[in-house]
mmCIF file of all heavy atoms in Angstrom:
data_model
loop_
_atom_site.group_PDB
_atom_site.id
_atom_site.type_symbol
_atom_site.label_atom_id
_atom_site.label_comp_id
_atom_site.label_asym_id
_atom_site.label_seq_id
_atom_site.Cartn_x
_atom_site.Cartn_y
_atom_site.Cartn_z
ATOM 1 N N ASP O 117 1.270 3.356 7.681
ATOM 2 C CA ASP O 117 -0.078 3.741 7.249
ATOM 3 C C ASP O 117 -1.074 3.361 8.317
ATOM 4 O O ASP O 117 -0.998 2.320 8.978
ATOM 5 C CB ASP O 117 -0.397 2.931 5.989
ATOM 6 C CG ASP O 117 -1.817 3.139 5.562
ATOM 7 O OD1 ASP O 117 -2.186 4.323 5.197
ATOM 8 O OD2 ASP O 117 -2.594 2.186 5.663
ATOM 9 N N GLY O 118 -2.018 4.269 8.550
ATOM 10 C CA GLY O 118 -3.129 4.007 9.511
ATOM 11 C C GLY O 118 -2.706 4.434 10.937
ATOM 12 O O GLY O 118 -3.216 3.935 11.905
ATOM 13 N N ASN O 208 -15.784 4.735 4.668
ATOM 14 C CA ASN O 208 -16.102 5.498 5.902
ATOM 15 C C ASN O 208 -17.465 6.134 5.713
ATOM 16 O O ASN O 208 -17.649 7.207 5.161
ATOM 17 C CB ASN O 208 -15.039 6.606 6.150
ATOM 18 C CG ASN O 208 -15.284 7.346 7.434
ATOM 19 O OD1 ASN O 208 -16.413 7.368 7.911
ATOM 20 N ND2 ASN O 208 -14.248 7.900 8.062
ATOM 21 N N TRP O 242 -14.683 -1.292 8.072
ATOM 22 C CA TRP O 242 -13.878 -0.094 7.888
ATOM 23 C C TRP O 242 -12.890 -0.055 9.022
ATOM 24 O O TRP O 242 -13.227 0.268 10.132
ATOM 25 C CB TRP O 242 -14.694 1.191 7.778
ATOM 26 C CG TRP O 242 -13.826 2.388 7.405
ATOM 27 C CD1 TRP O 242 -13.490 3.447 8.227
ATOM 28 C CD2 TRP O 242 -13.178 2.633 6.182
ATOM 29 N NE1 TRP O 242 -12.621 4.325 7.516
ATOM 30 C CE2 TRP O 242 -12.459 3.836 6.270
ATOM 31 C CE3 TRP O 242 -13.153 1.942 4.906
ATOM 32 C CZ2 TRP O 242 -11.704 4.380 5.199
ATOM 33 C CZ3 TRP O 242 -12.396 2.454 3.878
ATOM 34 C CH2 TRP O 242 -11.655 3.680 3.999
ATOM 35 N N ALA O 244 -9.971 1.762 8.879
ATOM 36 C CA ALA O 244 -9.292 3.042 8.820
ATOM 37 C C ALA O 244 -7.791 2.880 8.831
ATOM 38 O O ALA O 244 -7.057 3.766 9.159
ATOM 39 C CB ALA O 244 -9.696 3.960 9.966
ATOM 40 N N SER O 245 -7.344 1.702 8.384
ATOM 41 C CA SER O 245 -5.960 1.405 7.971
ATOM 42 C C SER O 245 -6.079 0.776 6.606
ATOM 43 O O SER O 245 -6.577 -0.358 6.490
ATOM 44 C CB SER O 245 -5.278 0.417 8.908
ATOM 45 O OG SER O 245 -4.710 1.037 10.017
ATOM 46 N N MET O 246 -5.637 1.508 5.576
ATOM 47 C CA MET O 246 -5.735 0.932 4.213
ATOM 48 C C MET O 246 -5.096 -0.457 4.130
ATOM 49 O O MET O 246 -5.671 -1.341 3.506
ATOM 50 C CB MET O 246 -5.142 1.870 3.191
ATOM 51 C CG MET O 246 -5.338 1.482 1.758
ATOM 52 S SD MET O 246 -4.454 2.561 0.648
ATOM 53 C CE MET O 246 -5.335 2.162 -0.890
ATOM 54 N N PHE O 260 -13.088 -1.678 -1.636
ATOM 55 C CA PHE O 260 -12.635 -0.612 -0.798
ATOM 56 C C PHE O 260 -12.828 0.697 -1.548
ATOM 57 O O PHE O 260 -12.493 0.812 -2.753
ATOM 58 C CB PHE O 260 -11.134 -0.780 -0.503
ATOM 59 C CG PHE O 260 -10.470 0.380 0.178
ATOM 60 C CD1 PHE O 260 -10.257 0.379 1.569
ATOM 61 C CD2 PHE O 260 -9.997 1.478 -0.525
ATOM 62 C CE1 PHE O 260 -9.604 1.435 2.196
ATOM 63 C CE2 PHE O 260 -9.346 2.506 0.115
ATOM 64 C CZ PHE O 260 -9.175 2.538 1.494
ATOM 65 N N TYR O 262 -12.330 4.966 -1.140
ATOM 66 C CA TYR O 262 -12.101 6.265 -0.501
ATOM 67 C C TYR O 262 -12.290 7.304 -1.574
ATOM 68 O O TYR O 262 -11.317 7.663 -2.268
ATOM 69 C CB TYR O 262 -10.775 6.407 0.221
ATOM 70 C CG TYR O 262 -10.939 7.386 1.389
ATOM 71 C CD1 TYR O 262 -10.824 6.953 2.687
ATOM 72 C CD2 TYR O 262 -11.268 8.706 1.153
ATOM 73 C CE1 TYR O 262 -11.057 7.863 3.747
ATOM 74 C CE2 TYR O 262 -11.508 9.630 2.172
ATOM 75 C CZ TYR O 262 -11.420 9.179 3.487
ATOM 76 O OH TYR O 262 -11.612 10.068 4.516
ATOM 77 N N LYS O 274 -8.496 11.461 -0.536
ATOM 78 C CA LYS O 274 -7.587 11.579 0.642
ATOM 79 C C LYS O 274 -6.272 10.800 0.441
ATOM 80 O O LYS O 274 -5.246 11.272 0.868
ATOM 81 C CB LYS O 274 -8.315 10.987 1.902
ATOM 82 C CG LYS O 274 -7.363 10.934 3.108
ATOM 83 C CD LYS O 274 -7.972 10.397 4.336
ATOM 84 C CE LYS O 274 -6.964 10.483 5.487
ATOM 85 N NZ LYS O 274 -7.471 9.894 6.753
ATOM 86 N N LEU O 275 -6.362 9.646 -0.230
ATOM 87 C CA LEU O 275 -5.167 8.781 -0.312
ATOM 88 C C LEU O 275 -4.213 9.270 -1.358
ATOM 89 O O LEU O 275 -4.525 9.973 -2.307
ATOM 90 C CB LEU O 275 -5.598 7.344 -0.575
ATOM 91 C CG LEU O 275 -6.600 6.805 0.504
ATOM 92 C CD1 LEU O 275 -7.046 5.395 0.101
ATOM 93 C CD2 LEU O 275 -6.011 6.815 1.886
ATOM 94 N N ARG O 276 -2.902 8.911 -1.096
ATOM 95 C CA ARG O 276 -1.840 9.383 -1.973
ATOM 96 C C ARG O 276 -1.577 8.364 -3.076
ATOM 97 O O ARG O 276 -1.580 7.197 -2.894
ATOM 98 C CB ARG O 276 -0.559 9.597 -1.188
ATOM 99 C CG ARG O 276 -0.623 10.793 -0.275
ATOM 100 C CD ARG O 276 -1.279 10.389 1.030
ATOM 101 N NE ARG O 276 -1.233 11.390 2.043
ATOM 102 C CZ ARG O 276 -1.777 11.149 3.258
ATOM 103 N NH1 ARG O 276 -2.364 10.046 3.515
ATOM 104 N NH2 ARG O 276 -1.698 12.067 4.180
ATOM 105 N N GLU O 280 0.500 4.937 -1.904
ATOM 106 C CA GLU O 280 -0.597 4.170 -1.320
ATOM 107 C C GLU O 280 -1.416 3.528 -2.494
ATOM 108 O O GLU O 280 -1.454 2.351 -2.665
ATOM 109 C CB GLU O 280 -1.564 5.109 -0.450
ATOM 110 C CG GLU O 280 -0.875 5.515 0.845
ATOM 111 C CD GLU O 280 -1.776 6.426 1.651
ATOM 112 O OE1 GLU O 280 -2.512 7.257 1.108
ATOM 113 O OE2 GLU O 280 -1.671 6.392 2.928
HETATM 114 P P1 P6P Y 1 -10.508 8.089 7.644
HETATM 115 C C1 P6P Y 1 -4.963 6.263 7.264
HETATM 116 O O1 P6P Y 1 -4.838 7.555 7.817
HETATM 117 C C2 P6P Y 1 -5.451 6.455 5.866
HETATM 118 O O2 P6P Y 1 -4.515 7.150 5.102
HETATM 119 C C3 P6P Y 1 -5.728 5.063 5.243
HETATM 120 O O3 P6P Y 1 -4.872 4.085 5.719
HETATM 121 C C4 P6P Y 1 -7.143 4.760 5.611
HETATM 122 O O4 P6P Y 1 -7.840 3.940 4.671
HETATM 123 C C5 P6P Y 1 -7.794 6.161 5.639
HETATM 124 O O5 P6P Y 1 -6.714 7.090 5.829
HETATM 125 C C6 P6P Y 1 -8.783 6.342 6.751
HETATM 126 O O6 P6P Y 1 -9.330 7.623 6.647
HETATM 127 O O7 P6P Y 1 -11.006 9.398 7.050
HETATM 128 O O8 P6P Y 1 -11.577 7.020 7.636
HETATM 129 O O9 P6P Y 1 -9.864 8.192 8.968
#
Side-chain angles (χ1 to χ4, degrees):
D117 172 67
N208 183 335
W242 188 249
S245 275
M246 186 183 196
F260 171 99
Y262 210 112
K274 174 180 183 183
L275 302 177
R276 289 83 172 181
E280 289 177 330

